[in-house]
Amino acid sequence: MEKVLIMSTPLFLSIAFLLWKFSNERFEEEYGTRMWRQWSTRLYYWQAILYITTLITVFLVVFLMWINIIAI
């Protein structure tokens, strides 16, 4: 179980970084700088990033366990 946790943490962080890097400018332009400065807009943005990152990480870990790259 420790292998899964050790491997999934950097995977989660790298996926979150990539999603943030590719989507931050687009959403900032879409909402405008005035709306983007409000905490609620960015809160919902970061919630979505974390939910999507969690789903992608879980699916990747389950897939890697399914093809026997990770063994518990």
Side-chain angles (χ1 to χ4, degrees):
M1 191 66 180
E2 292 85 20
K3 291 180 189 178
V4 174
L5 184 62
I6 290 171
M7 193 189 94
S8 63
T9 303
L11 186 64
F12 178 84
L13 293 174
S14 62
I15 292 170
F17 176 76
L18 289 174
L19 280 174
W20 168 76
K21 195 69 172 166
F22 289 126
S23 67
N24 188 35
E25 289 181 20
R26 179 178 178 269
F27 283 102
E28 189 173 353
E29 289 175 6
E30 184 177 327
Y31 286 111
T33 54
R34 184 172 182 230
M35 188 72 168
W36 188 251
R37 288 181 184 166
Q38 294 179 0
W39 67 271
S40 61
T41 306
R42 285 189 284 177
L43 174 71
Y44 296 138
Y45 168 77
W46 278 108
Q47 280 182 333
I49 292 290
L50 291 176
Y51 291 151
I52 293 168
T53 303
T54 302
L55 285 174
I56 292 172
T57 304
V58 166
F59 285 135
L60 281 175
V61 168
V62 169
F63 179 72
L64 291 174
M65 289 172 64
W66 181 60
I67 61 173
N68 291 329
I69 291 180
I70 303 173
I72 294 180

